[in-house]
């Protein structure tokens, strides 16, 4: 690991680069970058623009599968974008779906495959065993944050007219 350049280099030449985007303008530092895989942790804290821009850096001529993986909790800046992008509440969780995104210059249809895979604190047996008191901490949060972080609810919005609405 090279802490100056935030890069982990492997013997076979593969690299993992660690980075951070603190604003929409900061995407320019990645303008000429080329990645096979981009993984963004807590992606709802990034704007839709930053996510889509970084997705445009996934390219290359090798045969390695090109992927964007987002991990996050509900709530925050791009909550609505994530809910729409992954069709949360519309498409069944864990079921991949294809979405038409346009046509190329030759008239070929372009499709993108996506999948929302939910996970809650109870799905992490290691954390549950090592720190069972964490649940109590989450239960003490205000209702909106508790629904997001403990229940994994995507049915919360900052500007929601009827926050008490429940599909059940």
């Amino acid at each position: 690991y090279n802490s100056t350049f935030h890069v982990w280099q492997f013997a076979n030449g593969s690299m993992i680069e660690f980075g951070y985007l603190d604003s929409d303008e900061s995407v320019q530092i990645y303008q000429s970058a080329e990645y096979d895989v981009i993984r963004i942790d807590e992606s709802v804290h990034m704007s839709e623009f930053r996510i889509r821009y970084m997705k445009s850096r996934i390219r290359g001529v090798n045969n390695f599968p090109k992927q964007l993986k987002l991990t996050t909790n509900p709530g925050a800046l791009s909550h609505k974008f994530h809910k729409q992008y992954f069709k949360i509440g519309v498409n069944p969780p864990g079921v991949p779906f294809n979405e038409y995104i346009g046509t190329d210059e030759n008239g070929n249809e372009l499709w993108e495959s996506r999948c929302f895979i939910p996970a809650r604190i109870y799905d992490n047996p290691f954390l549950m065993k090592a720190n069972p008191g964490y649940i109590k901490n989450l239960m003490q949060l205000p209702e909106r944050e508790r629904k997001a972080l403990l229940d994994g609810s995507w049915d919360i919005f900052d500007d929601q007219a009827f926050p008490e609405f429940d599909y059940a």
Side-chain angles (χ1 to χ4, degrees):
Y1 178 73
N2 182 318
S3 60
T4 302
F5 295 104
H6 308 290
V7 173
W8 201 319
Q9 181 104 24
F10 294 88
N12 68 358
S14 295
M15 296 186 318
I16 297 176
E17 179 182 331
F18 299 89
Y20 182 75
L21 295 172
D22 62 355
S23 68
D24 285 355
E25 293 76 30
S26 64
V27 299
Q28 298 307 316
I29 63 175
Y30 296 101
Q31 186 168 2
S32 63
E34 179 179 297
Y35 300 102
D36 293 319
V37 176
I38 293 179
R39 295 189 172 156
I40 301 173
D41 188 35
E42 290 302 344
S43 55
V44 292
H45 294 282
M46 284 192 178
S47 67
E48 176 181 349
F49 171 76
R50 279 182 259 176
I51 294 167
R52 289 191 184 276
Y53 187 88
M54 291 310 295
K55 184 178 170 189
S56 77
R57 306 297 84 209
I58 301 172
R59 57 200 171 123
V61 296
N62 64 32
N63 291 332
F64 196 86
K66 309 300 184 245
Q67 301 175 349
L68 171 66
K69 293 190 177 187
L70 307 175
T71 56
T72 196
N73 287 292
L77 176 66
S78 63
H79 174 96
K80 288 181 186 178
F81 164 70
H82 282 72
K83 186 168 178 167
Q84 180 275 326
Y85 187 74
F86 289 103
K87 300 192 182 310
I88 298 170
V90 176
N91 196 66
V95 178
F97 65 93
N98 293 316
E99 184 167 73
Y100 173 75
I101 57 171
T103 56
D104 66 16
E105 61 185 22
N106 297 319
N108 298 312
E109 291 184 346
L110 302 172
W111 293 81
E112 181 176 68
S113 180
R114 297 184 207 135
C115 185
F116 169 67
I117 303 170
R120 296 177 53 218
I121 185 67
Y122 303 105
D123 297 322
N124 186 337
F126 302 104
L127 181 58
M128 295 300 298
K129 182 179 179 184
N131 190 358
Y134 181 58
I135 298 292
K136 289 189 282 187
N137 295 338
L138 293 175
M139 292 178 80
Q140 295 175 40
L141 289 170
E143 183 179 10
R144 182 183 180 283
E145 287 76 16
R146 186 179 69 250
K147 283 182 176 182
L149 300 178
L150 179 60
D151 301 333
S153 175
W154 285 87
D155 293 324
I156 56 168
F157 298 95
D158 284 335
D159 57 353
Q160 192 169 5
F162 300 102
E164 67 277 4
F165 180 78
D166 184 346
Y167 284 102

